[in-house]
Amino acid sequence: SINADDILRRHQRGDWGELEKTDWDANEHALKKGGRLFSSYRSVQNVKFWIITEWDRSVTTILLPMDY
C-alpha cells in the first residue's frame, strides 16, 4: 500500500511521479532557480493526486481530484 509519508519522501527526493517530461524538467529548473514544485501520483485504488510545494517552500499541499 502507499503511505503518505513515503509519497512525501518521493516528492522531496525529486521523484515527481507521473509527469510529462516538460513538467519534470520544469521541476528540475525550479529546484535550481526557485519555483513551484509539482508531482503527480496514483493511490492503490488508482486515484490520481497531486503534491504541490510553493516557490518559497513554505507550504506543501496534497490535492485530490475533488479538490482541484
Side-chain angles (χ1 to χ4, degrees):
S1 70
I2 295 178
N3 177 308
D5 289 336
D6 293 338
I7 293 298
L8 283 172
R9 276 192 286 279
R10 284 179 61 187
H11 178 78
Q12 290 172 328
R13 282 194 319 259
D15 174 353
W16 313 121
E18 300 178 6
L19 292 183
E20 300 290 327
K21 181 171 178 1
T22 54
D23 292 325
W24 196 284
D25 291 344
N27 278 346
E28 296 300 318
H29 182 264
L31 282 174
K32 294 173 188 162
K33 302 291 184 178
R36 183 191 69 150
L37 299 170
F38 176 79
S39 56
S40 177
Y41 307 97
R42 290 192 181 270
S43 72
V44 174
Q45 296 82 13
N46 203 34
V47 175
K48 190 172 196 170
F49 63 97
W50 303 273
I51 299 178
I52 301 169
T53 298
E54 296 302 325
W55 68 273
D56 62 357
R57 310 301 184 252
S58 63
V59 176
T60 297
T61 304
I62 299 174
L63 293 172
L64 295 170
M66 66 187 98
D67 300 326
Y68 193 67

